[in-house]
Amino acid sequence: MVSTFELEIVNSTNKKEKPSQDQVPFGTIFTDHMLTMEYSSDQGWHEPKITPYAPITLDPAAMIFHYGQTVFEGMKAYRTEDGRVLLFRPEKNFERLNLSSERLSIPPVDEKLMLEYLTKLIELEKDWVPSTPGTSLYIRPFIISTEANLAVAPAQSYKFMVILSPVGSYFPGGMKPVIIHVEDQFTRAVKGGTGMAKTAGNYSSGYQAQAQAKQAGNADVLWLDGVEKKYIEEVGSMNIFFKIDGEVLTPELNGSILKGITRTSIIELLNSWGIPVTERKISIQEIYQAFADGKIEEVFGTGTAAVISPVGELNWQGRKMVVNNHEIGELSQKLYDTITSIQTGKVEDALGWTVEVK
Ligand code: COI
């Protein structure tokens, strides 16, 4: 049951200072307001509110703390040169939020209504959308289970929230090729698990591998399939693409990989340029062989937070694969320039991806 009630707006009387435009960190600064909505099994989703950004109170027995029944999304609002604010394919995020919720036994939200409420929130926080190249307003919608109950079962009450954070680049150093560790001990997801859902446990379960990889000088981890540790899945914060001997490849969606909205957009963009993308199983051995044969031209990750992030080196079982001499590849650069130009309204949005917040 999805019920609709009028959105209540309470304005903040204590506005925060905004970060300096040339030093926007990732995910540590939050705007003046947030959106909340409650769910109970008898009322459905109700009480949508925009209120001053503040801590929330939860019962220590709230089920989110114990069994991690939660989902989230990541999307962005961009500032155009003429001062307008654009969202990028926002309907896809609410569609995916409901898919993640289905997997986590969380009741669905009304996608159109959520976009309406989000638009109201962004309208109110428009001044927080930064304008320097590479910056944006990161939007984090999420749902947590709030019922106080230690039973291992879906909760009867939930909270939906949207918080906003002005951000710069996800990886420190901006659009600079990153070094990635290919993980062959720990597992992120398996077929039939929650890998396709944007849920907390998929991320925190990777921290141990991530910490080890970082200690060895890598920026993140590339996950292999959980059964054979043979096939490439995704990086902790992004999907991955390869350009090998002129062909663009990315792992096929198999239920354990996140269906990235930037991933889909890059495939559609490349197709619109007449460049086909092969989505199939790709083994790490095949990548190593292509490297040994000198055929790897480019590797890059795609994600809302990461945008297009070139990969300059892959480390697998003590073997170092340097890609394109640690330099940004021509295709990665072109994709980055094109997608960010669409997102910030610099070029015509021929594919109809952006939505203006008036
Ligand atoms: C995103 O790209 O928006 C993500 O959610 C990835 C990461 C920051 C968790």
Side-chain angles (χ1 to χ4, degrees):
M1 180 191 5
V2 176
S3 50
T4 62
F5 287 90
E6 192 121 333
L7 178 67
E8 185 190 335
I9 302 181
V10 182
N11 277 293
S12 166
T13 50
N14 191 13
K15 300 272 171 69
K16 300 176 198 167
E17 205 175 305
K18 300 189 176 60
S20 135
Q21 289 271 335
D22 53 355
Q23 273 197 338
V24 195
F26 186 90
T28 53
I29 295 170
F30 299 94
T31 67
D32 293 312
H33 298 88
M34 61 188 191
L35 171 67
T36 59
M37 188 171 65
E38 310 299 324
Y39 177 91
S40 63
S41 40
D42 51 339
Q43 291 184 81
W45 287 108
H46 61 285
E47 253 180 76
K49 276 186 196 161
I50 291 176
T51 51
Y53 186 98
I56 56 168
T57 304
L58 287 177
D59 193 293
M63 292 169 106
I64 173 62
F65 296 135
H66 304 277
Y67 309 122
Q69 194 193 9
T70 180
V71 291
F72 73 93
E73 266 306 318
M75 55 209 287
K76 281 176 173 172
Y78 304 86
R79 176 78 64 191
T80 66
E81 270 170 5
D82 58 4
R84 292 173 303 126
V85 171
L86 302 178
L87 295 171
F88 183 73
R89 312 188 85 176
E91 68 290 346
K92 293 245 172 268
N93 291 90
F94 288 115
E95 190 184 304
R96 190 174 61 183
L97 183 76
N98 273 343
L99 278 179
S100 299
S101 287
E102 188 182 5
R103 181 65 188 84
L104 271 290
S105 301
I106 293 174
V109 292
D110 182 322
E111 295 168 24
K112 280 213 176 90
L113 203 56
M114 290 314 103
L115 188 49
E116 252 175 58
Y117 294 162
L118 172 67
T119 306
K120 288 257 161 26
L121 179 66
I122 308 277
E123 269 170 30
L124 197 64
E125 302 290 62
K126 248 184 177 174
D127 290 352
W128 279 92
V129 183
S131 58
T132 41
T135 64
S136 55
L137 185 68
Y138 188 77
I139 303 166
R140 173 53 62 87
F142 61 104
I143 300 174
I144 52 172
S145 47
T146 53
E147 184 190 347
N149 189 340
L150 298 183
V152 180
Q156 299 297 310
S157 61
Y158 299 87
K159 196 177 194 79
F160 169 87
M161 299 186 71
V162 182
I163 55 173
L164 307 174
S165 173
V167 295
S169 71
Y170 182 71
F171 289 113
M175 164 84 172
K176 200 179 90 192
V178 288
I179 301 177
I180 300 288
H181 167 75
V182 182
E183 179 58 45
D184 64 353
Q185 296 300 316
F186 293 105
T187 296
R188 174 188 174 271
V190 286
K191 214 171 181 171
T194 58
M196 49 62 69
K198 250 178 133 49
T199 185
N202 287 346
Y203 295 81
S204 51
S205 63
Y207 291 170
Q208 214 179 340
Q210 207 181 45
Q212 287 179 7
K214 282 192 176 163
Q215 218 167 20
N218 302 275
D220 214 332
V221 166
L222 173 61
W223 297 102
L224 299 178
D225 77 275
V227 178
E228 297 178 84
K229 297 278 189 292
K230 188 172 166 190
Y231 296 103
I232 292 173
E233 300 238 303
E234 65 178 71
V235 178
S237 49
M238 54 195 191
N239 295 112
I240 191 147
F241 285 73
F242 299 88
K243 184 168 177 239
I244 299 176
D245 210 11
E247 186 188 8
V248 182
L249 301 166
T250 192
E252 66 188 4
L253 299 174
N254 59 359
S256 63
I257 295 176
L258 189 80
K259 190 180 177 195
I261 292 157
T262 314
R263 175 189 181 277
T264 304
S265 305
I266 290 304
I267 294 173
E268 290 175 13
L269 200 55
L270 285 167
N271 286 340
S272 78
W273 294 344
I275 302 174
V277 178
T278 308
E279 295 176 69
R280 65 165 169 83
K281 281 180 155 196
I282 305 167
S283 76
I284 185 65
Q285 185 59 49
E286 173 186 350
I287 294 299
Y288 187 71
Q289 194 54 53
F291 166 75
D293 296 343
K295 289 187 173 163
I296 297 200
E297 294 166 37
E298 295 186 40
V299 182
F300 57 90
T302 64
T304 300
V307 195
I308 304 293
S309 189
V311 175
E313 185 179 314
L314 286 167
N315 291 303
W316 175 54
Q317 295 183 337
R319 284 171 273 194
K320 182 193 279 221
M321 297 177 241
V322 173
V323 180
N324 197 33
N325 201 23
H326 283 284
E327 280 161 23
I328 302 174
E330 205 179 304
L331 186 65
S332 312
Q333 187 69 59
K334 186 172 174 198
L335 286 169
Y336 178 88
D337 291 344
T338 308
I339 198 144
T340 54
S341 296
I342 294 173
Q343 288 164 337
T344 56
K346 263 196 215 134
V347 294
E348 194 210 340
D349 176 16
L351 294 155
W353 285 343
T354 56
V355 176
E356 185 175 348
V357 178
K358 294 255 165 92

